[in-house]
Structures are given as structure tokens and as C-alpha cells.
Amino acid sequence: MTTVALLAAAWTLIPHSTEHTVVTMRDYPIQPVPFTAVKIDDAFWKPRIETNRTVTIPYAFQQCEEHGRVKSFEYAAQQLQGQDPTGKPMPVYPFDDTDIYKTIEGASYSLNVHPDKKLEDYVDLLIAKIGAAQEPDGYLYTARTINPKKPHEWSGAERWVNEEEQSHELYNLGHLYEAAVAHHQATGKKTLLDIAVKTADLLVKTFGPGKRKIWPGHEIIETGLAKMYRETGKREYLELAQFMIECRGGKGEYWQAHKPVLEQDEAVGHAVRAAYLYAGVADVAALTGQPQYIETIDKIWHNAVEKKLYITGGIGATGGGEAFGANFDLPNQSAYAETCAAIANDYWNQRQFLLHGDAKYVDVFERTLYNGMLSGVGLEGKSFFYANPLATSGHYKRSPWFACSCCPTNVVRFIASVPGYVYGVRESDLFVNLYVGSTAEVKMPKGRTLRVKQETQYPWDGKVTLTVDPSTKKKYAVRLRIPGWAREEASPGGLYSFADKSGKTYSAKLNGKAIKGTLKDGYLVVDRVWSKGDKVELDLPMPVRKVVARDEVQANRDRIAFQRGPIVYCAEGIDNPNREVRDLVVAKGAEFKTVSEPDTLKGIVALTGKADRVLRNEDGSIDRTPVTLKLIPYCTWDNRGMSPMAVWLPTTPEGAHVLPKVRPVYSTAKVSVSGRPTRPDAVNDLKSVKRSRDEGDFMHWWPTKGTTETVTYTFEKPQTFKSSGVFWFDDTGVGECRVPASWKLLYKAPDGSWQPVKTASSYGVGLDTMNNVSFEPVTATAFRIEVSLQKNWSAGIQQWVLE
Ligand SMILES: [Zn+2]
């Protein structure tokens, strides 16, 4: 549909009731069927939503209590009541308040479908605490209110002055708005919404044309204000969202403020911020009907999906700035692909669908949902990934919580809302977007309803039976999404493609008779007068598919990935020989078959096939040993202890990580690293590294800068070494790690003291090389390097070798 035609459709007015008035407002041409109207009853999502409700939500609230997030509101309230809060701890981050807001949002969705008096009372208590921390004019931001004379170091001297850089005042409010609207809709209570309205009215009074200018350093207030507009009918909230979008420009890409939004055409900068912005731009486009906004985000979408999207649906390739990388720069081991970015990507793609009604947006949504989003939480519901790499050497696992805990609380709110993405409605068209065992009661025009029941084993099987039951016999167009993977399109725009044709095609029957028809925007349209009990049987065959990436994606050259239905697979060490996967080579033509494992990882379909294990002999020659390779769904990895993992498997030994047949002693050391390092064990994982910026599991100390840090190898028995080498990590251009100022090698003397080795060599800090030092042989149980970081820089290590 052209933009002009689209906007004509957008004029369909959505009746909207507020407390006192009924207003009509322009909105998305397609409206989602709310999660409250869809009841999921299947073997995949139902247990996950239940785990979110019974484990993750209470756990997140408990963590918020234990890590001072609740106390922040209490301290701010004490300050407002004139009690001196001097000496009270400040939030760790100025956006800590958002974890409470996001968990309340998730709890609200959950309360709506599953009443729980204890949870509801607890949420009421939290809302009272939030209200007590709000300043009389509506300002709400504990990082300043706790100690107005000395606010959080990131917050600036006055309100709002540091927003674009660090303070996150508007980010906090954006999450407050999302939570307040969810809470109002779910519980009917206005307690949190009243608090939110007071803050939004303060913003409207302070900012706008002819008043102060502002744009948020971390977006989300745009979608929050759009929701507040829908909920209250106050148009000034929408106008403020638009104003904030239009104020951007003249700053860096990190904030998507390098140029005015309407001039942007590439997905850049911090990926979570970016996708929240694009979602906000979509909302403003839908609610105001301005076509230039749609043209802008469509352009950015093509760039993101065709050049910067992981096969898992993850976005934001690099940890430096948590940002999008360059086009086609999609490293696997160092993939950042933050869980929040996957969620933001889904928010954005859902809105793209609501604007355009094209299945390709749902294809991206589904890919992200079943892979890069779901991997963010452990099956038990209490462990979380921040980054979601596509390969590891076995030193990466989910954490119970984070100092910056954006991802766990985002998972809480997103999983609770999954039923809301199954259907969409445009006049008398019903879009069936996700296949999930469920029943739905869909509101159609003129007060009619359409009951739809889905019976399916999706995502493990592609057979879906839809039973339709209209309130009155009526003509509706039921649009069945035929996923890209079922029509030979691995991803829209061809970043990924299938290595070979499946030879199988989808089919559909209506009351037993084959449905013929061409696809419209990726949907099979069944347009007819529906009667009670009409049955559609859809068959989406799910053969095992091999996926290849465009040749420009250097990280995936001579590699294949496996996909079946919407599920992307990975090899995990625990299932494979020697708990290793990096040394496996898969022939392009290898046959893989499915194995249903109802008792593994809460029920999966695994894949098995043949591969070769490659090992390097001491003379450099390579041995190949045939083995059986097992693959599991990527979203379920790291639920059985740490081991290496890979999504993209090499098709040639050159692409494999060929391990030595005899492993060097230093790789058996227990590693301990000072400070707060990431992936400490990566320093002796035997990876072959070519560049300091090479992708791989590396250890770094970022954001710590200018300190002296140590890495220690401890052995069970005394070991003798006479040379050592360090390959430094350096991410110049994208991050803040540089080679260090200096370093030295020490060993643990019998008296327990650390003594320098005796050497005539100098300690090198060269880039892209192993910096070797030879020394008088020493026998000891522990060795240490002491690293002095450059004054304004952090540092990291790819590999530290002892021989
Ligand atoms: Zn996050």
C-alpha cells in the first residue's frame, strides 16, 4: 500500500472513551486484539507465561527491594516530608526507578488475566510509595529528590539540564507512563495514572514550542506519551511526543541525535534507544497521520532488517555503546544483541505491522520473539542474559540480576503481554499473525464478535486448526499469515536465505476443501461469510532448513545455521563430544533429522545429524573424526550449565576453531580477575585470535578506567613456565578499551608473596599481536599479570598464554 493510501485508511476513526467524554482519534489502521481478549492454552507459551507470573514477577519485585529500588522512593518521600535524608544511599543508576515501573507493568498484565489479591495489594503499596516520592509540582525522579543539593552524579545541577547526556529523567517517566496505562487498563484503578498525569502536565507546562526544548537521552517517553494520549484524550501529550522527536539533532549517533529524525535513514547508535525511538515515531505517525514519519522509519527498517539483524532477531552488534554496528558487521561471539534490544525490536516491528499490514514485519517479530528475546530468560525464570551472543567458548552464563537490571524487568513486562500479538483487526479483516494454541474473542465492527480457536503444537509443528464462531453470520476476511520460512524467504530483503529449496509448500483447507488463492502481503486471505463451526486447517511444513548469510557478513562466510519453523538452532557443548562445539565441521549437504524430546528443556524438538570433529596434531596436520551432532533451540541454551555454544557452524576446517589435540597446561588454570570483569575465563580458552578487535570471547574491565588490575592463574600442582604472552583486546572506534599503559608478570613465592619474574624482555603493549616475554624458568602454583590501565581508558585481554 502506498503511504497516501495508507493514510486514507488511517482516517478510520477509533472510538475512544475517557472518563467524561467520548472522543474519536486517528490511530493505526490496524488495531491489535488486546492480550485480555486472547487466552493462551498451549504447551509452549502457557508454561512460560505462568513461570513469568509465579516466579519472575515476584522475583523481580524481591530484587527491587533487596537492591534499594524501593528504598529510593521511601528516601525521596522522607526528604519531601522534611526529614533529613543525608547519608541515605542514592540509586546505583539514575534510572533504577524504571525497574519498579516495568515490573508493575508486567504485574498489571498478569493481574488482569489472573487475579491475585496478594500481588495486587503489594502493587498498591508500591504505588503509594511512588506517589509519596513525587514532588508537589509533579516532578518524579528519586535520584534528585533524595538529595536535591547533591543529586546523583549523572543528574546535573538542575532539573532537566543533563537529560540529553545522562540523567534519564524522561526515560524514567516514559516507563512510568507505560506502567500507568497498563495498570489503569488492567485493574481499573487510577492511582498510578493520576501520578503519571501530574508528571506529564508538568512536562507540558515546561516544554514545547515557545517553551524549553528537550529530547530524551534514552528514548521511550515517546511511546509512553502516545499511550497517555490514548488513555486520557489529552492531545498535548501527543504534541509533546512529536516535539521531542523534532528537537533531535546536533548531537551524536549514540542518541540517534546526529541529525533531525526526518533526515535519518540508517539504524545507528544504542540499539535499545534506537528501536524505542522508531516505535515512538511510528506512534506519532499513526496518531497524527504525517506521512514523512512513516517514510523515515520505513527506510530505517530496511537498513536494520537487511543489514543489521542477527538471525536470532537480535539487534545491536557491539558492546561498545551497546550499539548497532556497521552494515553487515554481525560478529557472533562478541554479539551484544541485548535482551532489551530484542524486546524493543518487537515493539517496533509490531507497530510497522499496524501501519502497513504486511506479514514481513511479523516475520521479524516472530524471529525475535522465539529466539533472541526468549533466550534472555532462563527456563526457571530467575536468570537472565543481558547480551545474547551467537557463540561462546563456554564461559558465559545467565545472571540472577544485574546492577543495571533493564533486561530482567523488560522480560517481565514483555512475556506477560505476548497474547496481545496474536491478532490484529482492520475493519472486517482479521489478521492471524501468530500461531498459538488459544481462544480469542475478537471485537469486530458494529458490536459483533468473532470467536477464534486455534489448536496447534506450534512452534514444533506447523499444523494449525482454526475454528471460527461469529456472533452473527457475517462476511469477514480472515488473513492467515504465511511465514516467510514457509514460502522460501528466510528473512525479508535477503540478508539470510535458505541454502536449498525445501520442495514443500504450505496448504490450507476450509471445511475440508482446499483453499486456492494468491498471497496478499504475505497473508492467505479467506474472505467469506462465516458461520459457527467453520474450520480452517493450515499446514505449514517444517522441514529442517539450512540458512546462509549474505556474503558481506564476514563472520558467517563458509558457515551455515539451522532453522525449523520459526526456531533457530544452536549446538551446545553439553550435547556433543568432549563438551565442545567449536571444533565441529558440518558438510553443506549433511542431512539432519528431528527428534522430539518432551522431557528435555521443558519439551523441545532437537535436531541430529553428522559432523566432523577436527583436531590439530602437534605437526600441524588436521584429524577429522565423524561424530553425531545434536542441535537444540537457541532460546533454550545455557539451561544445563556452561559449555561452548555456536549458532553458525563452519562448513570447512578453515572456518572451525581447531583445538590442539594436546591441550596446553595454562588452559587448565583457574582464572581470577580483579575488579568487575566480563567473561574472566575467556583469557585462557585457547581461541585463535588475529586482531585485537577480533570477535571472540574476550575479558574486559570496562567501564573501569585508569586503575591497576590483576589476572591470576592458579594450578592444582606446581607448574614450570619460561615464557608468557598477552594478546590485548582493543575496540578503538567503537568502545573505550585500549591497550594498557604497562604490565608485568609475577609468580606466587613459597611465602605467599607475589614476586616479579626475572626477565630481560620488555613487556609489550602492541596491537594485533601476542606480546611475548621470556624469563628465567619459575615453578609455582600461581602466576599473575598486573596491568596498569591508561588514565582515561579501560582495557581487556583476548588471551594470556603461559608456556
Ligand atoms: Zn537491557
Side-chain angles (χ1 to χ4, degrees):
M1 194 186 280
T2 65
T3 303
V4 173
L6 171 98
L7 287 167
W11 269 115
T12 310
L13 296 175
I14 311 299
H16 186 90
S17 63
T18 62
E19 201 175 2
H20 304 293
T21 54
V22 173
V23 294
T24 47
M25 64 178 64
R26 172 205 288 272
D27 208 328
Y28 284 102
I30 301 171
Q31 288 293 301
V33 174
F35 75 98
T36 49
V38 182
K39 201 168 176 317
I40 288 184
D41 187 10
D42 75 338
F44 189 89
W45 283 109
K46 191 182 177 188
R48 282 171 166 85
I49 292 169
E50 188 64 3
T51 300
N52 190 52
R53 183 182 79 81
T54 59
V55 179
T56 316
I57 291 173
Y59 178 76
F61 277 136
Q62 181 201 333
Q63 294 295 316
C64 285
E65 295 270 6
E66 285 176 11
H67 291 90
R69 266 81 158 164
V70 180
K71 278 271 179 282
S72 292
F73 288 97
E74 292 172 2
Y75 295 152
Q78 287 168 19
Q79 162 68 27
L80 293 174
Q81 287 155 13
Q83 300 169 26
D84 180 11
T86 310
K88 293 278 165 62
M90 298 288 283
V92 175
Y93 290 107
F95 45 82
D96 277 2
D97 297 356
T98 60
D99 288 324
I100 303 265
Y101 299 149
K102 283 191 278 181
T103 312
I104 289 177
E105 184 183 339
S108 300
Y109 296 139
S110 174
L111 283 171
N112 188 284
V113 280
H114 208 293
D116 177 339
K117 176 83 171 70
K118 201 173 136 214
L119 179 62
E120 190 171 354
D121 288 350
Y122 179 72
V123 169
D124 286 344
L125 187 77
L126 282 182
I127 292 172
K129 288 181 183 180
I130 295 166
Q134 185 168 34
E135 299 192 13
D137 66 352
Y139 186 78
L140 180 55
Y141 178 66
T142 65
R144 180 182 308 283
T145 307
I146 290 175
N147 190 346
K149 293 205 178 76
K150 197 169 173 295
H152 195 284
E153 57 176 315
W154 291 355
S155 298
E158 307 159 29
R159 287 178 180 185
W160 318 118
V161 297
N162 216 18
E163 170 54 38
E164 293 165 10
E165 293 279 356
Q166 296 279 17
S167 77
H168 291 76
E169 283 151 294
L170 298 179
Y171 175 67
N172 283 330
L173 293 177
H175 274 301
L176 171 67
Y177 299 158
E178 301 244 331
V181 171
H183 181 256
H184 182 228
Q185 290 178 350
T187 65
K189 292 180 189 174
K190 289 189 70 184
T191 44
L192 192 58
L193 186 64
D194 286 343
I195 295 168
V197 163
K198 232 172 124 182
T199 67
D201 289 346
L202 174 68
L203 292 181
V204 167
K205 221 163 82 187
T206 314
F207 303 105
K211 292 174 255 178
R212 283 174 71 171
K213 270 175 82 166
I214 198 166
W215 50 268
H218 194 316
E219 299 90 325
I220 198 161
I221 195 164
E222 299 83 354
T223 54
L225 283 168
K227 287 182 180 178
M228 289 287 284
Y229 162 57
R230 287 197 192 93
E231 201 62 12
T232 63
K234 288 189 173 183
R235 194 163 177 89
E236 55 267 36
Y237 297 163
L238 173 64
E239 285 160 1
L240 183 60
Q242 185 174 350
F243 178 75
M244 286 177 180
I245 288 170
E246 286 175 355
C247 281
R248 306 186 86 80
K251 196 111 178 176
E253 285 190 349
Y254 176 80
W255 302 271
Q256 299 76 44
H258 50 305
K259 43 186 164 180
V261 169
L262 289 175
E263 291 172 24
Q264 297 185 23
D265 56 8
E266 186 175 350
V268 293
H270 189 281
V272 183
R273 298 172 198 233
Y276 282 165
L277 172 67
Y278 308 146
V281 172
D283 280 353
V284 168
L287 291 164
T288 64
Q290 295 181 38
Q292 65 273 30
Y293 285 112
I294 302 177
E295 283 158 21
T296 297
I297 46 167
D298 283 355
K299 264 189 237 163
I300 297 172
W301 183 87
H302 279 286
N303 173 257
V305 170
E306 293 165 12
K307 292 175 181 159
K308 299 188 176 186
L309 180 76
Y310 280 103
I311 190 175
T312 54
I315 53 171
T318 170
E322 307 185 313
F324 283 103
N327 289 337
F328 304 114
D329 185 12
L330 294 164
N332 291 310
Q333 281 195 240
S334 64
Y336 200 65
E338 185 180 339
T339 303
C340 284
I343 289 171
N345 197 29
D346 269 349
Y347 286 142
W348 177 26
N349 275 281
Q350 161 77 350
R351 285 166 169 85
Q352 291 282 141
F353 158 73
L354 297 174
L355 280 173
H356 296 293
D358 193 308
K360 68 185 176 188
Y361 303 110
V362 189
D363 286 350
V364 178
F365 180 97
E366 183 181 61
R367 175 176 295 288
T368 310
L369 175 72
Y370 279 100
N371 303 293
M373 188 288 295
L374 212 42
S375 58
V377 58
L379 288 172
E380 83 301 306
K382 280 189 185 184
S383 61
F384 309 90
F385 278 143
Y386 202 111
N388 292 267
L390 281 78
T392 81
S393 49
H395 309 295
Y396 185 60
K397 63 176 171 44
R398 290 186 186 85
S399 299
W401 191 251
F402 303 96
C404 164
S405 225
C406 51
C407 297
T409 50
N410 233 345
V411 163
V412 161
R413 69 182 187 133
F414 188 75
I415 289 192
S417 73
V418 163
Y421 299 101
V422 177
Y423 297 104
V425 171
R426 180 174 62 202
E427 295 165 42
S428 54
D429 283 18
L430 176 74
F431 292 80
V432 186
N433 279 341
L434 300 181
Y435 297 109
V436 184
S438 58
T439 49
E441 185 139 341
V442 183
K443 285 200 172 76
M444 301 302 282
K446 298 186 182 162
R448 298 189 174 106
T449 59
L450 190 60
R451 278 208 193 86
V452 187
K453 183 178 181 186
Q454 284 194 42
E455 291 164 281
T456 179
Q457 298 302 313
Y458 206 91
W460 310 121
D461 185 273
K463 290 192 176 65
V464 186
T465 303
L466 282 108
T467 310
V468 175
D469 178 8
S471 56
T472 46
K473 247 183 143 185
K474 185 81 185 70
K475 193 168 186 303
Y476 297 118
V478 174
R479 291 170 175 256
L480 303 162
R481 174 174 154 262
I482 306 300
W485 53 261
R487 47 182 165 78
E488 297 297 338
E489 183 184 272
S491 72
L495 177 58
Y496 302 105
S497 57
F498 294 120
D500 37 36
K501 288 249 182 287
S502 82
K504 294 185 177 170
T505 183
Y506 66 90
S507 62
K509 286 180 193 164
L510 173 68
N511 297 329
K513 274 191 203 144
I515 303 172
K516 294 271 183 275
T518 50
L519 299 188
K520 175 99 182 69
D521 300 329
Y523 291 88
L524 183 66
V525 186
V526 191
D527 194 358
R528 69 189 297 268
V529 176
W530 294 87
S531 315
K532 188 178 164 67
D534 280 342
K535 248 188 205 357
V536 175
E537 290 162 276
L538 181 64
D539 187 6
L540 303 166
M542 289 186 174
V544 179
R545 304 304 303 268
K546 297 191 191 88
V547 184
V548 292
R550 269 179 70 161
D551 196 48
E552 293 93 326
V553 184
Q554 200 190 344
N556 297 338
R557 276 186 204 155
D558 295 320
R559 286 172 190 271
I560 51 176
F562 287 80
Q563 184 177 339
R564 181 176 176 270
I567 301 285
V568 172
Y569 282 78
C570 68
E572 193 172 24
I574 190 167
D575 297 310
N576 290 293
N578 294 357
R579 287 180 73 91
E580 187 52 82
V581 298
R582 295 172 293 165
D583 54 358
L584 297 175
V585 173
V586 183
K588 267 185 184 156
E591 294 282 328
F592 275 71
K593 60 177 204 287
T594 58
V595 186
S596 186
E597 297 195 6
D599 299 323
T600 304
L601 299 165
K602 301 212 166 165
I604 58 166
V605 171
L607 308 180
T608 62
K610 289 272 172 272
D612 278 349
R613 180 160 178 246
V614 289
L615 280 174
R616 191 172 59 239
N617 297 310
E618 285 194 71
D619 67 2
S621 63
I622 288 175
D623 276 357
R624 290 179 81 130
T625 317
V627 293
T628 299
L629 168 61
K630 178 174 173 179
L631 305 171
I632 60 158
Y634 173 79
C635 65
T636 64
W637 85 277
D638 187 40
N639 278 289
R640 299 167 296 173
M642 281 193 291
S643 61
M645 182 277 294
V647 171
W648 290 95
L649 302 167
T651 54
T652 63
E654 291 71 45
H657 179 152
V658 185
L659 294 166
K661 208 169 211 172
V662 181
R663 299 220 179 175
V665 170
Y666 85 88
S667 73
T668 66
K670 185 173 159 288
V671 183
S672 51
V673 182
S674 63
R676 291 199 323 193
T678 59
R679 306 191 201 181
D681 292 351
V683 299
N684 70 337
D685 65 358
L686 297 177
K687 72 176 148 286
S688 55
V689 49
K690 297 179 193 80
R691 295 184 304 140
S692 289
R693 164 88 173 92
D694 220 25
E695 72 157 293
D697 276 355
F698 46 82
M699 182 283 299
H700 68 70
W701 283 287
W702 188 85
T704 303
K705 293 172 192 167
T707 52
T708 296
E709 305 289 346
T710 61
V711 183
T712 308
Y713 284 170
T714 308
F715 300 93
E716 280 176 11
K717 289 184 296 194
Q719 301 291 345
T720 306
F721 296 109
K722 59 181 171 41
S723 75
S724 181
V726 180
F727 206 115
W728 301 105
F729 170 71
D730 182 297
D731 59 1
T732 297
V734 291
E736 296 186 316
C737 287
R738 299 291 182 274
V739 295
S742 64
W743 65 287
K744 60 185 172 189
L745 178 64
L746 311 164
Y747 67 96
K748 197 173 193 178
D751 65 358
S753 64
W754 290 99
Q755 299 296 331
V757 297
K758 291 191 177 111
T759 178
S761 317
S762 60
Y763 290 98
V765 288
L767 271 176
D768 303 329
T769 185
M770 188 65 82
N771 293 279
N772 288 310
V773 173
S774 45
F775 51 91
E776 278 182 27
V778 182
T779 304
T781 54
F783 290 78
R784 167 176 285 180
I785 49 173
E786 200 175 279
V787 184
S788 298
L789 278 48
Q790 291 191 56
K791 192 166 166 245
N792 294 313
W793 300 106
S794 191
I797 294 174
Q798 293 273 11
Q799 196 78 178
W800 169 30
V801 174
L802 275 171
E803 279 166 346

